[in-house]
Amino acid sequence: MPFGRKIPKRSTICAAVLVLLATGCSQGGGSAGGGEFREADAKAAAQRWVSTEFTPSTLSKEQQLAEMDWFMKAAAPYRGMEINVVSETITTHEYESQQLAKAFSEITGIRLKHDLIQEGDVIEKLQTQIQGGQNIYDAYVNDSDLIGTHARGDYVLPLSDYIAGEGKAVTSPTLDLEDFIGISFTTGPDKKIYQLPDQQFANLYWFRYDWFTDPAIKKQFRDAYGYELGVPVNWAAYEDIADFFTSKVNGDGTIDGQKVYGHMDYGRKDPSLGWRFTDAWLSMAGNGDPGIPNGLPVDDWGIRVENCRPVGSSVSRGGDTNGPAAVYALTKYVDWLKKYAPREAAGMNFSEAGPVPAQGNIAQQIFWYTAFTADLTQPGLPVVNEDGTPKWRMAPSPHGAYWKDGHKLGYQDAGSWTLLKSTPAERRAAAWLYAQFVTSKTVSLKKSIVGLTFIRDTDIRSEYFEQNAEKYGGLIEFYRGPARVQWTPTGTNVPDYPRLAQLWWQNVATAVTGETTPQQSMDSLAKQQDDILSRLERRGYGGQCAPKLNQERDAQYWFDQPGAPVAKLPDERGKPETLDYDELIARWKKAD
């Protein structure tokens, strides 16, 4: 979900201070105090970091030290260099900039400047370097949502090629690519890996477990709707639960005298409104075709590809951006925002809406990013018990009426290391060492504890998270469970993420305000996407995978073909279905 600030930050000033700290730590030689690099000092630094900071780890202390020793020796040709890398400002990257950059410099002798800037600025710097060919940063952490763009361009160095060739001597023998849970997200249509995941998080269903398990509240719901209150499996159940808490619980939509709401969202005309939709909202409704990590031939943006060539977004070209499933997705979003969320939610953006569930008056949220987990576990919050455990839980998101088995069911953000061809080879090699260092098994478990943005399966299954799972409200169970594979980023059907993503929030916003109907909004979006695909086709962007638009046909022709797009369903509600949360978790643990 590029372009902007994704999660609530402690403060902009704090982020700026961390950048200065990281910069200050990197000045001088390979140690914090500068001076000539000595292997004895590096080994002592490795001992210190492993003993005091890089704990716990999935590796033994001896294995950690061996891994650090490899980094020290591999870095020998690059000692004394100062490398510049950049990422957005989130907790995980703050930890890297403040702690891991310093450790890397002390152990390798490579001076490291890790800048933290807003995500939109990361993309701007990346595009400037691509267009101008001048090296601004030696490596970038940018979202894997750009995989379709990167794979079609000639500016990113595929990591598969780099590891096998130029970068072989600086590729760690303990990298273990198969341990990265998001490696499929960073793999192009040519099956090459283009980026290395550094952090990732999902959007899931969030709910007040304490309310959902309250016997009196459960009875009220059962009496009103005829089935059990629980985790909604489909949108029909979510809608009933939203209605219940907003207007019916205790007769007037209150709990303990406080007005509560059955839904939370945001609707201001703002770039973050685009993420609300491109981050797999349409796939949750059932848009596009089944397929993991993304639907083929039609993905969750409604873009159809044939032999890796995007051929259209509009239903008239075989796409699904303005098909019945997409219109249904937008219609439900607008209806729920207006009926069941606090009145002020329609005027909020992502950052403003994010902290609202922590205030204690929201019963459930269908679209909630796990990056908020740490913020909603702070002692003293109305949603946290006195013993520090959360009153809430997270679970798989419910799906819409058009969804079928095999569809993706949600979104994962995967910020990933990206190397550009315009970076000089020596600087690229040194930056690649740092990218591997901050994702290494020596440090990744501690980094996961700090930021809760898991990248390695071994970390998720570590003893630490086994013993502390109850602190995280279902996050660990989700990542260990079988459902996680259905949560994926934007895929390779999207050939120019920066240009196409900008269209979404502008078209969705007019549906929120009532200026256009959901159908009109999605018709406009589909046409604008096709216009961009047409321009990319004329440029030949992507070579053999460049867009090549289908000729327009009557919509019924495409509805009669197998798969997406599908005609409007006579019943877009269906039978509501819920699951008991504790039974769901027990089922996952049994399958683990």
Side-chain angles (χ1 to χ4, degrees):
M1 120 179 97
F3 305 106
R5 192 176 195 171
K6 292 189 289 197
I7 62 176
K9 310 302 187 296
R10 293 164 189 165
S11 72
T12 304
I13 295 175
C14 179
V17 169
L18 288 172
V19 174
L20 292 173
L21 284 171
T23 303
C25 289
S26 66
Q27 302 307 308
S31 64
E36 184 179 350
F37 179 88
R38 295 186 304 176
E39 285 197 8
D41 292 338
K43 287 180 179 293
Q47 284 274 359
R48 185 177 69 255
W49 283 100
V50 164
S51 299
T52 60
E53 182 62 32
F54 303 154
T55 181
S57 171
T58 57
L59 301 181
S60 68
K61 185 174 181 180
E62 291 72 21
Q63 289 172 320
Q64 288 180 284
L65 291 172
E67 191 169 58
M68 294 297 97
D69 190 62
W70 179 87
F71 278 104
M72 181 189 70
K73 291 175 180 176
Y78 315 104
R79 288 172 188 160
M81 293 178 63
E82 179 172 289
I83 301 303
N84 303 308
V85 304
V86 67
S87 65
E88 62 171 311
T89 311
I90 66 172
T91 302
T92 297
H93 299 316
E94 289 173 352
Y95 179 71
E96 290 168 344
S97 179
Q98 186 178 26
Q99 297 287 346
L100 300 186
K102 182 179 180 182
F104 178 77
S105 293
E106 291 183 356
I107 293 168
T108 66
I110 299 171
R111 294 178 288 172
L112 201 291
K113 184 173 181 287
H114 185 152
D115 282 349
L116 302 175
I117 60 179
Q118 295 305 311
E119 189 177 10
D121 296 329
V122 174
I123 300 298
E124 182 180 344
K125 296 290 186 183
L126 182 69
Q127 290 180 309
T128 299
Q129 181 163 338
I130 291 167
Q131 294 164 4
Q134 288 187 315
N135 193 57
I136 301 173
Y137 285 102
D138 303 308
Y140 293 79
V141 179
N142 81 280
D143 280 7
S144 72
D145 292 325
L146 276 79
I147 183 63
T149 317
H150 291 337
R152 288 177 175 84
D154 60 357
Y155 53 86
V156 168
L157 185 61
L159 292 180
S160 296
D161 293 347
Y162 186 69
I163 289 169
E166 177 191 316
K168 189 173 184 179
V170 287
T171 297
S172 171
T174 55
L175 178 59
D176 193 4
L177 288 173
E178 293 183 1
D179 193 38
F180 285 80
I181 61 175
I183 205 68
S184 65
F185 308 157
T186 61
T187 301
D190 54 5
K191 308 305 179 186
K192 291 182 179 181
I193 298 169
Y194 281 79
Q195 301 167 279
L196 182 72
D198 180 272
Q199 48 84 7
Q200 64 188 78
F201 52 88
N203 64 10
L204 297 176
Y205 171 73
W206 179 96
F207 70 105
R208 285 293 296 271
Y209 177 80
D210 56 335
W211 294 350
F212 276 51
T213 55
D214 183 288
I217 292 176
K218 287 174 68 70
K219 183 180 185 305
Q220 290 178 46
F221 184 87
R222 185 171 56 253
D223 291 346
Y225 298 93
Y227 62 96
E228 295 295 329
L229 176 61
V231 174
V233 174
N234 54 22
W235 285 11
Y238 183 86
E239 191 169 65
D240 284 349
I241 296 168
D243 177 64
F244 171 71
F245 279 103
T246 303
S247 60
K248 294 184 174 65
V249 65
N250 294 324
D252 58 359
T254 64
I255 294 178
D256 296 329
Q258 179 186 32
K259 177 72 185 85
V260 299
Y261 298 90
H263 176 63
M264 183 58 203
D265 218 317
Y266 60 97
R268 187 201 296 178
K269 187 175 183 180
D270 177 88
S272 64
L273 189 58
W275 316 330
R276 176 63 182 77
F277 279 76
T278 59
D279 288 0
W281 180 244
L282 269 60
S283 76
M284 293 165 67
N287 178 269
D289 284 308
I292 300 297
N294 290 276
L296 284 174
V298 182
D299 72 351
D300 48 287
W301 283 38
I303 298 175
R304 174 180 287 271
V305 297
E306 295 174 1
N307 297 322
C308 84
R309 287 185 179 272
V311 297
S313 299
S314 301
V315 169
S316 60
R317 300 184 192 274
D320 204 9
T321 306
N322 61 334
V327 173
Y328 159 80
L330 179 54
T331 299
K332 287 299 181 184
Y333 158 78
V334 173
D335 286 352
W336 294 344
L337 178 67
K338 292 181 177 179
K339 291 179 181 178
Y340 307 125
R343 183 180 299 273
E344 59 270 21
M348 291 181 172
N349 63 18
F350 177 87
S351 297
E352 293 163 341
V356 172
Q359 297 170 9
N361 64 341
I362 304 298
Q364 61 172 358
Q365 185 165 332
I366 192 170
F367 197 89
W368 185 84
Y369 287 97
T370 63
F372 288 108
T373 304
D375 295 279
L376 265 71
T377 55
Q378 298 300 316
L381 287 177
V383 295
V384 176
N385 293 309
E386 289 185 5
D387 65 358
T389 57
K391 296 180 180 179
W392 51 267
R393 299 290 188 273
M394 59 186 85
S397 308
H399 57 72
Y402 291 82
W403 190 89
K404 299 180 179 66
D405 286 341
H407 266 109
K408 64 184 289 185
L409 192 47
Y411 173 84
Q412 281 203 66
D413 184 287
S416 306
W417 287 101
T418 308
L419 303 180
L420 301 185
K421 292 180 179 179
S422 57
T423 300
E426 284 193 349
R427 302 189 67 82
R428 184 163 54 229
W432 174 236
L433 286 171
Y434 178 67
Q436 294 174 93
F437 183 90
V438 299
T439 58
S440 67
K441 291 183 180 180
T442 291
V443 309
S444 64
L445 178 54
K446 179 59 180 289
K447 191 174 79 168
S448 295
I449 295 168
V450 173
L452 299 178
T453 55
F454 308 102
I455 54 170
R456 288 188 176 274
D457 190 65
T458 48
D459 292 335
I460 296 164
R461 302 184 187 282
S462 68
E463 183 180 356
Y464 176 87
F465 283 118
E466 174 70 29
Q467 295 177 350
N468 292 278
E470 67 173 8
K471 296 179 181 179
Y472 304 112
L475 180 65
I476 308 306
E477 290 84 354
F478 168 76
Y479 270 107
R480 287 183 168 186
R484 84 173 188 213
V485 298
Q486 295 175 284
W487 272 253
T488 67
T490 301
T492 58
N493 287 24
V494 180
D496 192 335
Y497 189 105
R499 287 184 176 86
L500 291 166
Q502 297 281 12
L503 305 174
W504 286 70
W505 61 277
Q506 300 170 55
N507 285 287
V508 169
T510 59
V512 175
T513 60
E515 298 169 60
T516 57
T517 66
Q519 183 70 66
Q520 290 169 333
S521 290
M522 299 312 283
D523 285 344
S524 174
L525 173 61
K527 182 182 184 305
Q528 290 174 28
Q529 287 201 148
D530 282 346
D531 289 344
I532 288 179
L533 294 179
S534 178
R535 291 200 292 273
L536 294 174
E537 179 180 357
R538 291 195 296 271
R539 286 173 48 201
Y541 182 79
Q544 294 183 341
C545 292
K548 187 176 182 180
L549 287 179
N550 283 334
Q551 293 297 314
E552 292 193 88
R553 293 176 178 261
D554 184 78
Q556 192 60 47
Y557 168 84
W558 290 105
F559 292 151
D560 291 340
Q561 306 305 309
V566 299
K568 182 179 173 66
L569 295 174
D571 176 15
E572 288 188 326
R573 175 171 165 82
K575 182 181 178 181
E577 182 182 354
T578 59
L579 285 173
D580 179 82
Y581 176 78
D582 294 314
E583 289 183 11
L584 175 66
I585 295 301
R587 191 183 309 171
W588 280 356
K589 287 183 176 179
K590 186 176 181 180
D592 186 19

